Amino acid sequence: MSVFSRPDPAARGVGMTSQRARDRLVERLAGEGIRDRRVLDVMRTLPRHQFIDEALASRAYEDTALPIGKSQTISQPFVVARMTEALIEHRLPQRVLEIGTGSGYQCAVLSLLVEQMFTVERIDELLRNARRRFRKLGLDNIRSRHDDGRLGWSDEAPFDAIIVTAAGAALESALLSQLAPQGCLVAPVGPTGRQTLMRVRAGDDGWLEENLGAVSFVPLRGGTE
Ligand code: SAH
């Protein structure tokens, strides 16, 4: 499964012109401490510029978050890399749930590493744009749903890993309950300006919590629109 196995001619054309920009971004990520070759290789391949508005495409390979409409952002590449690395470090998960599809970029990165992705987004318009991008790139191992992701996706649980890409006040217990034994959850937690990236793994006697450092995400909100 690769973005190159079902090439879309238009996508490939633009992708080629961006390859050098992607190579430079990946070198920078490696220099900043991203070590997992699997993550770097996927980010070298996946055209991030196709996950944002054309007007911003020239900035796609800068290491910054960018607006995607509806007051939401596509995450900074370093943060995508760090979260992906943290999620697959101890065991490569097969079934992964993402809360907060947004542009679809984080989900697309993971879809090239794991067997099956599930992603939930509360804003319908963003979800529809993301689905169009998945189709265009031939990413056919992604199932998506328009819903309040704080509830997870109970019909499809359990998941080997769960990644949350918007910050809640605390870890959501509904999400923890949908983790498989030995599962791993990565999520930003805390109020704007004071968020930390948490990794939670199921240990023999309870949850193992690790603080992976300060981050800045949009808030996790209830309901749908
Ligand atoms: N993973 C995304 C990051 C998008 S920003 C990317 O790679 O582009 C976070 C996203 O989480 C936003 O699109 C926001 O609408 C969504 N979100 C916030 N609260 C949510 C909730 N309760 N359920 C589902 N999605 C949510």
Side-chain angles (χ1 to χ4, degrees):
M1 168 188 37
S2 135
V3 284
F4 293 129
S5 60
R6 277 156 263 122
D8 167 273
R12 195 174 41 181
V14 189
M16 292 301 277
T17 60
S18 307
Q19 190 58 57
R20 281 188 52 209
R22 273 201 296 280
D23 288 345
R24 274 198 300 273
L25 172 63
V26 164
E27 270 165 41
R28 176 173 172 171
L29 297 176
E32 285 171 356
I34 303 299
R35 285 199 200 87
D36 195 318
R37 296 260 30 121
R38 297 168 294 180
V39 176
L40 294 172
D41 285 347
V42 165
M43 291 183 71
R44 195 191 301 284
T45 308
L46 195 66
R48 185 171 184 258
H49 64 275
Q50 292 193 18
F51 290 82
I52 55 186
D53 197 89
E54 255 177 60
L56 288 170
S58 65
R59 303 190 54 197
Y61 301 107
E62 292 174 16
D63 190 20
T64 56
L66 292 167
I68 54 169
K70 299 277 174 189
S71 308
Q72 306 302 319
T73 54
I74 179 173
S75 305
Q76 182 192 351
F78 178 79
V79 174
V80 171
R82 187 70 197 96
M83 288 177 86
T84 307
E85 191 175 62
L87 205 70
I88 68 175
E89 184 179 345
H90 294 281
R91 208 165 53 115
L92 186 65
Q94 293 186 0
R95 291 162 55 85
V96 178
L97 173 67
E98 177 193 43
I99 307 305
T101 316
S103 68
Y105 180 70
Q106 170 73 75
C107 181
V109 167
L110 278 164
S111 79
L112 295 171
L113 292 164
V114 309
E115 238 169 77
Q116 181 71 50
M117 276 307 297
F118 298 86
T119 185
V120 184
E121 170 58 55
R122 63 179 289 279
I123 302 178
D124 191 44
E125 186 180 324
L126 296 182
L127 185 59
R128 277 192 273 134
N129 289 337
R131 281 177 175 152
R132 190 172 34 76
R133 295 171 183 133
F134 298 152
R135 260 198 311 277
K136 188 169 172 189
L137 290 166
L139 303 173
D140 55 11
N141 63 337
I142 301 173
R143 290 188 51 203
S144 60
R145 174 184 167 101
H146 178 222
D147 204 352
D148 179 351
R150 294 176 309 168
L151 310 171
W153 191 331
S154 55
D155 290 352
E156 293 293 346
F159 302 96
D160 303 310
I162 300 179
I163 180 169
V164 187
T165 65
L171 292 166
E172 297 287 338
S173 55
L175 295 181
L176 289 173
S177 74
Q178 291 179 21
L179 269 185
Q182 327 238 325
C184 172
L185 176 142
V186 172
V189 177
T192 304
R194 279 191 293 123
Q195 299 167 1
T196 53
L197 188 62
M198 301 295 298
R199 175 165 64 183
V200 184
R201 284 180 294 140
D204 287 337
D205 2 86
W207 300 110
L208 221 69
E209 286 191 22
E210 291 164 87
N211 180 338
L212 304 181
V215 282
S216 177
F217 277 86
V218 296
L220 195 63
R221 289 193 201 288
T224 57
E225 58 183 89

